[in-house]
Amino acid sequence: MKHRTVYPFTAIVGQEEMKTALLLSIVMPSLGGVLIKGEKGTAKSTAVRAAAALLPDLHAVRGCACHCDPARPELYCDACQERSAEGKLPQEEVPMCVVELPVSATEDRVVGTLDMETAIQHGRKAFEPGILAAANRNILYVDEINLLEDHIVDILLDSAAMGVNTVEREGISYAHPARFVLIGTMNPEEGDIRPQLLDRFALSVTVAGEQDAESRVEVIRRRIAYERDADAFAATYAAEQEQLHTQIVAARQRVANVAVPDDILGLAAQVSLTLGVDGHRADITLIKAGIAHAALAGRTAVNAEDLLRVSRLVLAHRMRRRPFEEEAVDWSAVDAILGASA
């Protein structure tokens, strides 16, 4: 069966906040992931799957199911640690990918399993990798994330917090790194998401259908063209895709050296205090998102404009609200603080 050509990311009409959030997470995987909320038919899943074509290659240990980073031996899985004791491990370039976690996935499918018969008979660990192993250093995508079983949510929370997945059975354990970019999509009409999981997302965006008639016509025109000849349609956006891919690769190389002036740190703290968000995670995430935005823009220092552009993505889901309160956030104070400094 022929592989279906994915809809190009650069062909998506509108939805600028969603596209920005996805790009920031690709540029800085340690940022913390993206939650995309919206009604059906607003290109949520299309955008996530389309982002796969923009992902850079990974430098990984050859043959490792977890794509362990040769430059980070302290993060090797148990198998790579055993192999490294025998000498230098072979390396390879592998493309990053989007690994999907179905809402119906069982715990064994997510965390992986241990073959106890092999362990007992041959005295060695035989680990069957799960979704978390495949997702290491990649994007883990969960459609309808609000419908995930609670025990699977707990596994994701533990892995996101520790960066490690440990499987234990009958006194035998196997550990591997589980550092992934978590991207979830959901339709709020189908239920809410657990607060503990919501807080783990660095960025959150709410999408809706285009309200401009001309934009809606363009959505229809492009979708029909894609369905008639996906390869030809993708070819018309190949140059834009390559340009964006190059921009992302350059931004990933630049991000570690982006400077954050003290006055920018002060602005981030001032914004969080003004909005009354809880804890310090919002401040830290606002700065990290600003770093990723600056790197993507090709700059070497964060400015107030960067914070302004990412503020809604970072802070909208962190606002302190009373039960059953759903009123819109007043962003005028944030715009005044950051706009005056831009």
Side-chain angles (χ1 to χ4, degrees):
M1 182 176 178
K2 183 181 177 182
H3 179 69
R4 178 73 166 173
T5 300
V6 176
Y7 194 91
F9 189 86
T10 54
I12 297 172
V13 177
Q15 308 297 7
E16 297 304 324
E17 283 196 339
M18 174 174 64
K19 290 188 287 189
T20 297
L22 291 172
L23 292 177
L24 294 179
S25 283
I26 294 173
V27 169
M28 182 185 281
S30 63
L31 187 54
V34 183
L35 176 65
I36 305 172
K37 299 185 288 184
E39 57 201 19
K40 298 182 290 290
T42 48
K44 301 187 299 296
S45 298
T46 297
V48 177
R49 295 187 176 103
L54 302 172
L55 298 174
D57 289 342
L58 292 175
H59 198 51
V61 173
R62 181 180 299 164
C64 176
C66 307
H67 324 103
C68 284
D69 185 353
R72 302 290 301 276
E74 73 277 10
L75 298 179
Y76 278 173
C77 64
D78 284 0
C80 285
Q81 287 184 4
E82 291 181 7
R83 291 168 59 196
S84 65
E86 301 171 1
K88 188 175 181 180
L89 298 179
Q91 304 173 13
E92 64 180 346
E93 296 291 323
V94 295
M96 281 185 70
C97 63
V98 175
V99 178
E100 296 196 32
L101 192 163
V103 292
S104 59
T106 62
E107 182 174 338
D108 284 351
R109 179 72 186 91
V110 175
V111 303
T113 57
L114 284 169
D115 186 342
M116 297 306 300
E117 184 176 346
T118 299
I120 294 173
Q121 292 183 356
H122 303 285
R124 60 181 177 83
K125 300 177 184 178
F127 177 64
E128 183 66 31
I131 292 174
L132 289 180
N136 184 48
R137 303 180 69 202
N138 286 309
I139 289 177
L140 179 61
Y141 172 48
V142 189
D143 192 15
E144 298 180 324
I145 194 169
N146 51 322
L147 303 183
L148 267 184
E149 301 260 351
D150 282 349
H151 69 286
I152 300 297
V153 171
D154 290 337
I155 291 170
L156 290 183
L157 289 173
D158 288 343
S159 297
M162 303 297 294
V164 176
N165 175 46
T166 303
V167 182
E168 297 183 351
R169 185 178 173 191
E170 305 295 337
I172 299 175
S173 67
Y174 186 95
H176 68 78
R179 297 169 179 261
F180 47 81
V181 177
L182 179 61
I183 296 180
T185 54
M186 59 174 280
N187 183 350
E189 296 176 354
E190 298 173 347
D192 213 340
I193 186 172
R194 279 176 57 179
Q196 298 94 325
L197 184 55
L198 176 64
D199 188 55
R200 282 293 170 185
F201 286 100
L203 311 175
S204 173
V205 57
T206 300
V207 297
E210 294 294 324
Q211 299 302 307
D212 175 65
E214 187 176 336
S215 296
R216 294 180 78 95
V217 168
E218 187 60 23
V219 170
I220 299 169
R221 181 182 293 115
R222 294 186 186 185
R223 189 67 199 188
I224 291 176
Y226 169 73
E227 292 181 356
R228 284 180 174 172
D229 191 335
D231 291 337
F233 180 78
T236 62
Y237 290 90
E240 293 180 47
Q241 289 280 109
E242 182 59 31
Q243 181 180 359
L244 184 54
H245 173 78
T246 301
Q247 183 182 355
I248 289 170
V249 171
R252 283 171 65 97
Q253 295 172 345
R254 186 184 301 114
V255 72
N257 298 314
V258 173
V260 185
D262 286 345
D263 63 317
I264 297 299
L265 296 176
L267 286 176
Q270 189 178 349
V271 167
S272 292
L273 288 172
T274 300
L275 293 181
V277 297
D278 295 322
H280 299 285
R281 185 172 289 158
D283 312 54
I284 296 169
T285 305
L286 184 59
I287 290 297
K288 291 177 68 175
I291 292 172
H293 190 274
L296 190 61
R299 288 182 280 100
T300 57
V302 181
N303 60 30
E305 178 68 19
D306 293 314
L307 298 190
L308 184 61
R309 292 292 183 89
V310 303
S311 59
R312 286 160 174 75
L313 300 175
V314 173
L315 300 169
H317 62 299
R318 303 182 190 280
M319 298 296 296
R320 188 184 301 152
R321 290 187 174 91
R322 292 184 293 272
F324 310 110
E325 181 183 30
E326 296 186 3
E327 60 187 46
V329 178
D330 182 6
W331 292 101
S332 57
V334 175
D335 293 343
I337 294 170
L338 299 178
S341 303

